[in-house]
Amino acid sequence: KETRGKKPNKFKEFIKKHKILVWIVVLILLFAISLGGTLLYFNLTEPKEIAIPNLSGKTAEEAEIILSKMGILIEYADEEYNKEVEAGKIISQEPPYKQNYNIKEGSTIKVVISKGAELTTMPKVIGMTKDEAIQELKAYNLKANIVEETSQEVQEGYITKQDIEPDTTIDAGETVTIY
């Protein structure tokens, strides 16, 4: 049918004849657009995966610089005495460093900082009983290695000498030989 010189619009006629098909196509397009938008949103807002750095042996300042460049936060969990790691350097971290192990950008790494070797002063234990000397060494965070010797000048069970001079600064936890 032609009316007043207008050509029939084939697109409009197709839509009128196939309403259900048109609605299906519209719904599929809406679904595809919303799915694409959702995926785009999550890809843009999802934090990046970053290889976890090894912070052991680094100073707190070095670790802060490394982590800030990577977008990772640092938390100081504790300070501990450690003979092997000098004071001010990191002993351990959580999560621990593992090759090919990733964490998300914005995550937090907890670190333990070394206080260095714990030092103590060697007490004078000469003249004490063996049990008193052991207790005194424990109070100074020292261990006792007891060597039995016979003496005609000192009664049995008393300490006659010690291998480290009194008032000497030594590492806590060391074993001291007493006679």
Side-chain angles (χ1 to χ4, degrees), residues 4-169:
R4 296 186 201 167
K6 287 186 178 178
K7 292 183 181 178
N9 189 333
K10 291 182 182 181
F11 181 70
K12 285 184 181 179
E13 285 180 22
F14 179 82
I15 290 175
K16 285 180 185 177
K17 286 182 184 177
H18 302 93
K19 285 185 180 185
I20 294 177
L21 180 62
V22 169
W23 278 109
I24 291 173
V25 170
V26 167
L27 290 175
I28 290 172
L29 284 173
L30 284 174
F31 176 75
I33 291 169
S34 63
L35 178 65
T38 302
L39 291 175
L40 180 64
Y41 171 77
F42 282 114
N43 281 339
L44 293 176
T45 60
E46 182 74 17
K48 292 188 290 186
E49 291 280 325
I50 299 170
I52 191 166
N54 184 2
L55 301 175
S56 293
K58 305 242 186 303
T59 65
E61 293 78 25
E62 290 170 334
E64 284 179 13
I65 292 167
I66 291 167
L67 296 179
S68 69
K69 287 179 182 176
M70 299 175 82
I72 300 173
L73 305 172
I74 189 169
E75 180 181 321
Y76 298 100
D78 203 1
E79 286 186 283
E80 296 176 2
Y81 289 106
N82 189 299
K83 281 186 195 179
E84 287 80 36
V85 180
E86 75 180 76
K89 296 204 173 182
I90 295 173
I91 300 169
S92 64
Q93 68 186 61
E94 187 60 43
Y97 169 75
K98 292 179 193 165
Q99 201 166 12
N100 300 322
Y101 182 74
N102 292 332
I103 57 174
K104 293 193 182 293
E105 186 178 38
S107 296
T108 299
I109 294 179
K110 295 179 183 181
V111 297
V112 176
I113 305 290
S114 174
K115 291 182 180 180
E118 182 178 7
L119 301 176
T120 189
T121 303
M122 177 66 193
K124 179 181 177 187
V125 294
I126 296 171
M128 295 181 179
T129 66
K130 180 172 81 171
D131 291 338
E132 290 171 339
I134 290 170
Q135 288 306 311
E136 183 73 1
L137 291 173
K138 278 186 185 176
Y140 283 83
N141 200 7
L142 296 168
K143 298 174 192 156
N145 175 36
I146 300 161
V147 176
E148 300 285 335
E149 288 187 333
T150 56
S151 171
Q152 295 176 356
E153 299 169 6
V154 179
Q155 182 181 346
E156 185 179 337
Y158 283 85
I159 304 302
T160 59
K161 61 182 175 178
Q162 60 192 62
D163 70 343
I164 299 176
E165 290 294 316
D167 298 323
T168 302
T169 301

